[in-house]
């Protein structure tokens, strides 16, 4: 199974290097049936576009800040305070 993950952070950011890239490498090493392909640096769109793709089922995983998540689930907006 291949999962697609998108985020807006640059490839040299800790979020990508120590988060998403590390996750993808670990899953490849530990399983034969699960692969996460990461699209960093807004390759698939802005944060709001990524969330729209997630809701539409066009992408599987997204990293986004609370202000954008608050558009879909308002209580999360409190984390942006």
């Amino acid at each position: 199974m291949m999962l697609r993950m998108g985020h807006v952070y640059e490839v040299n950011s800790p979020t990508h290097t120590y988060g998403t890239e590390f996750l993808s490498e670990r899953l490849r090493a530990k399983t034969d049936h699960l692969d996460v392909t990461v699209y960093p640096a807004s390759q698939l769109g802005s944060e709001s576009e990524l969330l729209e793709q997630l809701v539409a089922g066009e992408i599987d995983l997204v990293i986004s800040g609370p202000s954008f998540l608050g558009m879909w689930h308002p209580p999360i907006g409190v984390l942006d305070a």
Side-chain angles (χ1 to χ4, degrees):
M1 169 187 257
M2 183 164 117
L3 300 174
R4 294 174 11 135
M5 173 188 271
H7 65 77
V8 298
Y9 303 101
E10 295 297 323
V11 294
N12 59 355
S13 73
T15 300
H16 180 73
T17 305
Y18 302 109
T20 61
E21 186 175 2
F22 183 72
L23 169 70
S24 180
E25 290 171 1
R26 292 282 307 239
L27 287 173
R28 279 190 200 109
K30 298 278 183 186
T31 68
D32 293 330
H33 61 280
L34 187 58
D35 185 25
V36 176
T37 301
V38 181
Y39 298 90
S42 302
Q43 288 181 21
L44 299 179
S46 66
E47 278 186 285
S48 58
E49 291 170 328
L50 287 171
L51 288 171
E52 288 175 12
Q53 292 174 51
L54 181 68
V55 170
E58 298 166 359
I59 190 170
D60 304 298
L61 304 160
V62 172
I63 294 179
S64 180
S67 59
F68 288 97
L69 291 172
M71 292 187 302
W72 300 98
H73 186 66
I76 291 176
V78 72
L79 299 174
D80 201 30

